[in-house]
Amino acid sequence: MSSSAGTASRRTAVVIGGGMTGMLAATVLADFADVRIIERDVLPEGAQPRKGLPQARHAHVLWSGGVKALDDLLPGIIEQLVARGAHTPRIMTDLVSKAPSGQWFRRFNHARHTSLLCSRDLLDAVIRDKVLQDERITLLQRSELLALQGDGDRVTGVRIRADRSEQSIPADMVIDASGRASRAPAWLQDLGLPPIRERTVDAGIGYASRIYRAPGSTAEGFPIVNVQADPRRVPGRGGIITPVEGGRWLVTLSGTRGGQPSSDNDAFLSFALSLPHPVIGELLAGAEPETDVVTTHSTANKRRYYEKAVRWPDGFAVLGDALAGYNPVYGHGLSAAAQSVIALRHILQRHDVHAPGTARRIQRAAARPVENAWSLAVGQDVFYPGASDQPPTRLEKALAAFVDKAVDAGSRNPYALRILLDVMSMESPPARLLMPDMLALVYLGRKRPSLVAPPLTEDERKAATP
């Protein structure tokens, strides 16, 4: 507990939203202030579905950059998740992945990157239980945020509706972690601030997911199997098998406009077999489904450029999906959110919660991991027809072509693959691909055919046979 806890100088903070980002932000803020989390719904007991989070039904991957951030924020949380059945596959050892450009990534026995796989329900439940043990944090459920209080220079608190009555809660800092449905642009305009610049890139991707009982002996140690869509082929179709807790596979299939998967149980397998490689469908043919198919079409990449606002009020910052939401297929949203909370902590360790300029510093720092994830997602999706009102820029076209070459270099050279994985795992920014050593590997490397690894080893195929 902070040395100032319980004294008159103890600051106060409000976090809007009780999801993963909100809980992580609360645990950071609790070292500097007494925290109230404002949540409009009733959060479930245990690893159960949460209202207002439809994307939770689909596959989630926490890449190594996010794993490290999460364990830094909540030491021991990864071990707790593993004890509850989460998996920690090694990339590229435990990943079978077909790149958008067509080749299979090589697999190696020695891996530097470890990801985290489990259901979103389990991830949220374990984080929630750990955070809410902190007596400095109070959760207010069935509470709807109506407006920010203050003016264009400083936010001084929030006005909420709870138990059919309205009340005001003063705060030195308000963090919006309310997710994709955030109403922060309207709240800020109500304070007299100008509109925030936004950009949406929507490839029109639809998702269909289903949980299967892992067949044969695949409940432990089976790799992620990922067939990525090729943006040069329309419609783009892809899919992923993620082993999750309870000896199950969470399987998510995706398709762009004109090729979206349906909610028809009988069509799920045939769609999987129609992907650029049929390996996912072949594996599902020997697996038993445990659930019906669930679908969603809310997959647009949406970025709000709060860090570029000409005016920004003290006492308010936006984190997580409220700042930027991504097409879930790339798996960077959770990692970017965790890293943005790390950025929050770095600022608060150097600047008082109430000090002028602290909120703008938080917003600019949080934008860095968000922009990294944005570049990785939009670099593919912007090429699908109708994805954006703005056609791909020359820079986006050049970067996409370069990434294809970098993937090819990674299939030929282990050092190039290491650099590529550092970027894809969000341990290094995309600019790392443009450093001289990688440029040399991409443009001066030996000209020879890519090494194509088999999608599954013979032992893995046998394990998947009941």
Side-chain angles (χ1 to χ4, degrees):
M1 181 176 291
S2 170
S3 60
S4 62
T7 70
S9 62
R10 182 76 169 160
R11 299 296 190 188
T12 58
V14 165
V15 174
I16 308 166
M20 188 194 84
T21 305
M23 290 293 168
L24 295 180
T27 202
V28 165
L29 285 163
D31 284 336
F32 309 94
D34 293 322
V35 184
R36 290 183 180 181
I37 301 173
I38 308 299
E39 171 56 49
R40 65 181 302 167
D41 299 317
V42 176
L43 298 178
E45 295 289 337
Q48 299 297 322
R50 182 164 71 89
K51 185 178 178 181
L53 194 67
Q55 65 267 32
R57 301 172 297 177
H58 304 290
H60 285 73
V61 178
L62 195 67
W63 294 108
S64 58
V67 171
K68 291 179 178 179
L70 184 58
D71 206 42
D72 190 7
L73 292 165
L74 295 172
I77 194 71
I78 303 303
E79 288 80 0
Q80 291 181 34
L81 284 159
V82 170
R84 296 276 299 272
H87 299 265
T88 52
R90 300 158 297 164
I91 310 298
M92 298 289 294
T93 305
D94 303 318
L95 171 64
V96 173
S97 183
K98 189 175 182 65
S101 51
Q103 69 266 48
W104 292 96
F105 284 102
R106 296 177 68 185
R107 298 174 67 189
F108 297 92
N109 291 328
H110 303 288
R112 297 180 61 250
H113 306 85
T114 299
S115 60
L116 179 74
L117 292 181
C118 63
S119 69
R120 181 64 187 272
D121 296 339
L122 178 63
L123 178 68
D124 284 354
V126 174
I127 291 174
R128 184 167 60 240
D129 289 348
K130 190 173 183 68
V131 170
L132 294 181
Q133 292 174 11
D134 193 329
E135 295 180 353
R136 301 168 297 181
I137 299 172
T138 303
L139 173 64
L140 302 180
Q141 303 185 83
R142 293 195 183 95
S143 300
E144 180 185 4
L145 191 133
L146 301 176
L148 300 176
Q149 293 191 313
D151 54 35
D153 294 322
R154 176 175 287 279
V155 169
T156 58
V158 297
R159 190 171 81 254
I160 68 170
R161 180 186 292 118
D163 296 327
R164 299 182 182 180
S165 63
E166 295 185 14
Q167 61 177 290
S168 296
I169 301 176
D172 296 296
M173 176 64 68
V174 176
I175 298 292
D176 178 18
S178 57
R180 284 176 173 262
S182 166
R183 292 180 289 144
W187 298 333
L188 292 170
Q189 285 190 263
D190 288 345
L191 296 180
L193 294 168
I196 298 296
R197 183 164 71 88
E198 298 183 359
R199 187 184 182 195
T200 298
V201 176
D202 185 2
I205 292 179
Y207 285 92
S209 294
R210 198 174 196 184
I211 293 177
Y212 285 77
R213 172 63 51 183
S217 59
T218 65
E220 296 295 333
F222 201 74
I224 304 169
V225 181
N226 184 27
V227 176
Q228 299 183 53
D230 185 347
R232 296 165 297 187
R233 295 174 58 183
V234 178
R237 289 184 168 184
I240 187 170
I241 295 176
T242 56
V244 297
E245 71 275 8
R248 301 174 298 165
W249 286 351
L250 175 52
V251 184
T252 294
L253 307 178
S254 64
T256 59
R257 294 180 181 90
Q260 298 171 330
S262 73
S263 58
D264 183 357
N265 289 341
D266 294 334
F268 196 80
L269 179 58
S270 60
F271 189 97
L273 290 168
S274 75
L275 301 182
H277 192 284
V279 60
I280 291 178
E282 292 169 353
L283 291 169
L284 296 185
E288 179 183 354
E290 287 195 349
T291 68
D292 291 329
V293 176
V294 293
T295 60
T296 187
H297 297 88
S298 301
T299 61
N301 303 281
K302 188 169 186 177
R303 175 86 159 85
R304 290 165 170 163
Y305 293 90
Y306 294 111
E307 75 280 6
K308 297 183 183 298
V310 175
R311 291 181 61 199
W312 189 257
D314 287 320
F316 182 68
V318 183
L319 300 179
D321 282 358
L323 179 55
Y326 315 92
N327 176 353
V329 73
Y330 303 112
H332 290 121
L334 293 176
S335 296
Q339 290 181 343
S340 72
V341 178
I342 292 284
L344 167 70
R345 186 178 65 184
H346 285 167
I347 298 301
L348 294 183
Q349 287 172 339
R350 294 164 176 79
H351 303 276
D352 184 81
V353 169
H354 191 72
T358 295
R360 182 177 280 278
R361 290 186 178 96
I362 292 169
Q363 204 60 68
R364 288 174 172 170
R368 297 186 190 108
V370 163
E371 184 62 26
N372 292 341
W374 177 262
S375 298
L376 293 171
V378 171
Q380 295 291 333
D381 284 4
V382 73
F383 291 95
Y384 286 109
S388 175
D389 292 338
Q390 307 169 15
T393 65
R394 288 184 179 180
L395 178 60
E396 287 172 337
K397 291 179 179 179
L399 285 175
F402 178 79
V403 169
D404 282 347
K405 292 180 181 295
V407 170
D408 183 65
S411 72
R412 292 183 278 109
N413 185 292
Y415 184 69
L417 180 61
R418 171 179 169 177
I419 295 172
L420 183 65
L421 289 177
D422 284 346
V423 172
M424 298 305 295
S425 298
M426 294 194 68
E427 294 194 39
S428 294
R432 177 64 183 89
L433 297 176
L434 303 178
M435 297 297 285
D437 55 349
M438 189 63 175
L439 291 173
L441 289 168
V442 169
Y443 292 112
L444 302 178
R446 288 183 291 170
K447 306 277 188 184
R448 61 186 178 87
S450 298
L451 298 176
V452 180
L456 289 171
T457 67
E458 187 61 29
D459 286 344
E460 287 165 344
R461 284 193 174 276
K462 288 180 181 178
T465 303

